[in-house]
Amino acid sequence: MTDFLRSDVMLAFAVMTAVTVASRLGGYWLMGYVNVTSRVRRMLDALPGSIIVAAALPVAVNGGPVVIFAILSAMAVTVIRRNDFVAVIVGMAVAAAARAMGFGG
């Protein structure tokens, strides 16, 4: 049996899948009890951006100037092109080019 098909690995996948599905369905169920006012709607609309910032900020702080420059370039492309996929590609390309030129670590 390969390492991937070990029973403990499969059990971990099953538990993670169950928790993910339960949290998603639980969120939809709980939101059924929330009165969606304009204030709640604004909060829900801002939530994806705040999650991205919360995930990217520690990476930027610990990554140094190359990572900060790559994130800023991706943000600029997002504002200009309004295309998240292109922004991610540009950010990765900027980081790779900067590292290839010897900047960063």
Side-chain angles (χ1 to χ4, degrees), residues 25-49:
L25 293 176
Y28 285 119
W29 178 73
L30 286 174
M31 282 305 292
Y33 294 101
V34 174
N35 186 14
V36 181
T37 62
S38 62
R39 184 176 180 179
V40 172
R41 170 59 55 201
R42 287 192 309 269
M43 185 268 309
L44 291 172
D45 289 341
L47 194 57

Side-chain angles (χ1 to χ4, degrees), residues 2-61:
T2 66
D3 286 338
F4 179 73
L5 295 176
R6 290 187 350 223
S7 62
D8 57 338
V9 173
M10 290 294 112
L11 179 63
F13 282 151
V15 169
M16 288 187 291
T17 301
V19 168
T20 301
V21 169
S23 65
R24 293 283 181 138
L25 293 176
Y28 285 119
W29 178 73
L30 286 174
M31 282 305 292
Y33 294 101
V34 174
N35 186 14
V36 181
T37 62
S38 62
R39 184 176 180 179
V40 172
R41 170 59 55 201
R42 287 192 309 269
M43 185 268 309
L44 291 172
D45 289 341
L47 194 57
S50 64
I51 291 172
I52 290 171
V53 169
L57 190 60
V59 173
V61 169

Side-chain angles (χ1 to χ4, degrees), residues 75-101:
M75 287 171 57
V77 170
T78 300
V79 168
I80 294 168
R81 296 286 309 248
R82 301 277 186 215
N83 188 329
D84 295 337
F85 183 72
V86 173
V88 169
I89 298 299
V90 167
M92 290 186 332
V94 166
R99 302 243 185 220
M101 289 188 287

